[in-house]
């Protein structure tokens, strides 16, 4: 299991999918992407879905996710996503009363019991918590942010210096 904290967006996409009978059918599915803005979320889901979609495709909705952390499973059979609502008791220092903080996580698993096991595995930190709810979602997949990095080369120079060198070589 690995836990990733990021800025997640739930995106609804509508596209044509081939059915088991060989017919084309329009479907709307939910995917989660890691992005900083709505525009970046739309760009990310469009890029990810382009590999799978051959017909009509549109992004119907983008919503900031109610969870900040996702628990990814290493299990090959873990193909479902569950929302887990955890309640953390916190002692208020001023009043001495117990307050409760609720946090929602997205958990990858193959069943309800698998989701419960995965939450307990990640939360094995000694922190007190209560699992208030675990429910299966209609999320099809989660796409993590792919950082855009330029591969550095040994003699990598800024573009303006490389352009000057190319001009000198042309003379």
């Amino acid at each position: 299991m690995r836990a990733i904290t990021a800025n997640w967006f739930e995106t609804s996409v509508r596209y044509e999918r081939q059915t088991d009978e060989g017919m084309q059918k329009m479907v709307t599915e939910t995917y989660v992407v890691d992005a900083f803005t709505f525009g970046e979320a739309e760009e990310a889901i469009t890029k990810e879905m382009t590999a799978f979609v051959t017909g009509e495709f549109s992004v119907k909705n983008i919503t900031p996710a109610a969870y900040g952390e996702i628990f990814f499973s290493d299990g090959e059979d873990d193909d479902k996503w569950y929302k887990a609502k955890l309640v953390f008791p916190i002692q208020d220092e001023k009043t001495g009363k117990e307050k409760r903080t609720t946090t929602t996580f997205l958990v990858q698993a193959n069943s309800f019991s698998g989701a419960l096991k995965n939450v307990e595995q990640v939360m094995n930190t000694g922190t007190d918590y209560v699992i208030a709810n675990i429910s299966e979602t209609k999320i099809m997949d989660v796409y993590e942010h792919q950082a855009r990095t330029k591969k550095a080369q040994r003699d990598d120079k800024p573009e303006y210096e490389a352009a000057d060198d190319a001009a000198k070589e042309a003379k």
Side-chain angles (χ1 to χ4, degrees), residues 99-113:
K99 289 186 175 183
R100 298 175 145 236
T101 301
T102 303
T103 305
T104 303
F105 300 95
L106 192 62
V107 183
Q108 188 178 20
N110 65 352
S111 64
F112 176 84
S113 60

Side-chain angles (χ1 to χ4, degrees), residues 4 13 16 19 34 37 41 44 62 65 79 97 109 118 123 146 165:
I4 305 291
V13 296
E16 287 184 359
T19 63
D34 172 12
T37 64
I62 300 174
D79 59 349
K97 293 183 180 180
N118 289 348
M123 297 307 297
Q146 302 297 322
D165 291 346

Side-chain angles (χ1 to χ4, degrees), residues 38-109:
F38 286 87
E40 190 177 293
E42 182 177 16
E43 180 183 341
I45 193 61
T46 301
K47 179 182 174 187
E48 293 293 344
M49 294 303 293
T50 301
F52 304 109
V53 177
T54 56
E56 186 179 328
F57 169 81
S58 62
V59 178
K60 291 295 182 188
N61 190 28
I62 300 174
T63 307
Y67 40 85
E69 195 164 5
I70 295 181
F71 303 156
F72 290 91
S73 173
D74 299 326
E76 289 182 21
D77 295 336
D78 293 345
D79 59 349
K80 296 177 186 171
W81 292 95
Y82 293 83
K83 283 189 182 177
K85 185 176 177 181
L86 276 61
V87 178
F88 298 91
I90 299 173
Q91 195 76 20
D92 187 336
E93 293 178 15
K94 293 179 183 176
T95 63
K97 293 183 180 180
E98 182 179 280
K99 289 186 175 183
R100 298 175 145 236
T101 301
T102 303
T103 305
T104 303
F105 300 95
L106 192 62
V107 183
Q108 188 178 20

